[in-house]
Amino acid sequence: MTGKVYIVGAGPGDPDLITIKAIRCIQEADVVIYDRLVDSRIVNMIPNTAERIYVGKSRGEKVMPQENINDLIVNAATSNKTVVRLKGGDPFIFGRGGEEASELSKAGIPFEIVPGITSAIAAPAYAGIPLTQRSFASSFLVVSGDEDPSKQESLIDWQHIAAFKGTIVILMGWRKLQDIITSLLKHGMGPSVPVALIQWGTVPLQKTVTGSLVNIVEESSKAGMAPPTIIVIGKVVELRTVVRWFEKKPLFGKKVLITRPNNNTSILSDLLEREGAHVVSLPTIEIVPVPDFSDLDIAIKQLDAYDWIIFNSLNAVSALFTRMKQIRIDTRSFMKAKICAIGESTAKALERHGILPDLIPDKYLTSSIAAQLNKNGVSGNRILIPRTNIASNSLVEKLENSGAKVEQVTAYHTIIPETAEETILQLLKNNEVDIVIFTSSSTVKNLLRLLHGDTDLLNAKTIATIGPITSQAARKMGIEVNISAQKHTIQGLVSDIVTYYS
């Protein structure tokens, strides 16, 4: 029994440009066969239950021939599986999707085509170049700059292309740029015709160079352009000075290192990317379960004996509720206790479990948190704090000084990822990072451990922290803090970074 194949366009790079249907296909797939230019964030949408097969093609590497890819797709579908053939851009615009569909048709395998936004349109749009505009161009032409080498003769008629009155877009033409320019000039195109080169269109790494037919090769060399780059030729290139928008974002081109755990990065990454930043996620801490659940289980089984339960992070929320589910205890155990959530993200995590916090301190300093709890009369109260194995005791001490009976239980462990050291050294030494973000004191401590205490590499970057406690920890270790969020939330941190660069 045969399955079905979806030949899916993943779009030009920006993962927000993928279609709803494409996402649905990916999420329902048993097998996903994907290319090099599919953004990693789209690859991460593939469910863990699906088999991932990479068949990316790039020059200078040994790659799988197209005939083998065709066979791979056909064979995967013959096992009654749902197969997604995931391709950058649109599968039918120089994506060889037609060849793959023809093979599926010959094999009698049902398939669907899911179009994607092509870089031929999207990259110029992100560079501020409309392909058509009244008085500039009423038509556009898309050309391949890299024909099949087995052809007896070229199918590209450069003579007629040179005479074309609209906008010309050339994909995969970077390596033949000089030959293309020579052909157009030879067949009568004016030397002053504007040209734009757009590298990595639609993502924060995007680079755009403009010039004319006579100087674009020189300008591209000065700028260090490289593939993947598309070429736009025509008067509409002049509109870039007015229409460009993507490259005007406040954090455009800034490379930001996030050091918080992978399970906590999505909101921060999304907010930074919306402002134009290129985000590099390299957690300096990893959240893992405790090796022994005995103490945590005892605390969970007597939740109804506490007057207050204080959650100081969403990791504490996740760890406690995960274990509660495992030992079959539900939220009715919270009926007596009042709940304190330190931070908006912690409060939202509790709300997802049906718990509305009684107190969300407006400041996240230990003294402020203790003061606000004391206003609620915690003297003589029994308080539980589920925490990490490396948490500070400062809040506990202040509450105990106020007469509270505080019990701490380790709900999760914070450790240093094994593979982080080599990567962080390479990123910092090669100037692949402009901004380093710290969201907790532990991320500061662990990053310095990975750097063997060397702060020089960090002090050459812009350092941003989520608030005064993290800033204080950084400064104690010799790190100069440039941005300390006034509002101690992820949103406040990103807002202050934007203000700093504005």
Side-chain angles (χ1 to χ4, degrees), residues 53-220:
I53 303 175
Y54 175 70
V55 293
K57 300 178 181 180
S58 63
R59 293 181 181 273
E61 296 179 3
K62 187 176 181 180
V63 297
M64 183 180 293
Q66 184 62 46
E67 294 76 15
N68 292 11
I69 295 174
N70 296 344
D71 292 340
L72 183 64
I73 299 168
V74 170
N75 292 335
T78 55
S79 303
N80 194 26
K81 291 181 178 179
T82 298
V83 180
V84 167
R85 173 66 174 109
L86 192 59
K87 310 170 79 69
D90 179 89
F92 277 9
I93 299 183
F94 308 131
R96 307 190 76 167
E99 297 174 41
E100 294 167 352
S102 297
E103 291 300 316
L104 290 167
S105 181
K106 291 176 187 176
I109 295 172
F111 63 89
E112 288 187 23
I113 308 299
V114 181
I117 296 177
T118 172
S119 61
I121 296 172
Y126 270 56
I129 302 173
L131 295 185
T132 63
Q133 183 154 315
R134 287 188 304 174
S135 77
F136 281 81
S138 299
S139 58
F140 67 91
L141 176 69
V142 181
V143 182
S144 170
D146 188 18
E147 287 188 281
D148 184 346
S150 64
K151 289 179 182 176
Q152 295 293 323
E153 59 182 67
S154 174
L155 295 179
I156 299 176
D157 186 344
W158 291 109
Q159 181 175 350
H160 284 87
I161 291 173
F164 185 65
K165 299 301 182 184
T167 306
I168 302 167
V169 181
I170 303 175
L171 304 184
M172 302 173 293
W174 163 251
R175 296 184 186 278
K176 296 183 179 178
L177 177 61
Q178 183 62 72
D179 293 339
I180 291 168
I181 299 299
T182 300
S183 294
L184 292 172
L185 290 171
K186 175 184 175 182
H187 289 103
M189 183 173 279
S192 62
V193 172
V195 182
L197 303 178
I198 308 163
Q199 180 183 357
W200 288 114
T202 77
V203 299
L205 294 174
Q206 177 177 300
K207 183 191 292 186
T208 306
V209 173
T210 58
S212 64
L213 280 180
V214 293
N215 68 6
I216 193 62
V217 173
E218 181 182 354
E219 294 299 322
S220 66

Side-chain angles (χ1 to χ4, degrees), residues 355-389:
I355 303 293
L356 299 176
D358 299 280
L359 174 63
I360 306 172
D362 51 10
K363 293 183 179 179
Y364 307 148
L365 297 170
T366 301
S367 57
S368 178
I369 296 166
Q372 291 186 62
L373 283 163
N374 283 328
K375 285 182 180 179
N376 287 271
V378 296
S379 179
N381 283 184
R382 191 177 177 189
I383 299 175
L384 175 67
I385 305 178
R387 48 166 275 172
T388 176
N389 58 312

Side-chain angles (χ1 to χ4, degrees), residues 58 75 188 205 264 272 283 333 351 371 430 453-454 468:
S58 63
N75 292 335
L205 294 174
N264 296 340
L272 289 166
S333 300
E351 289 174 13
N430 294 346
D454 184 0

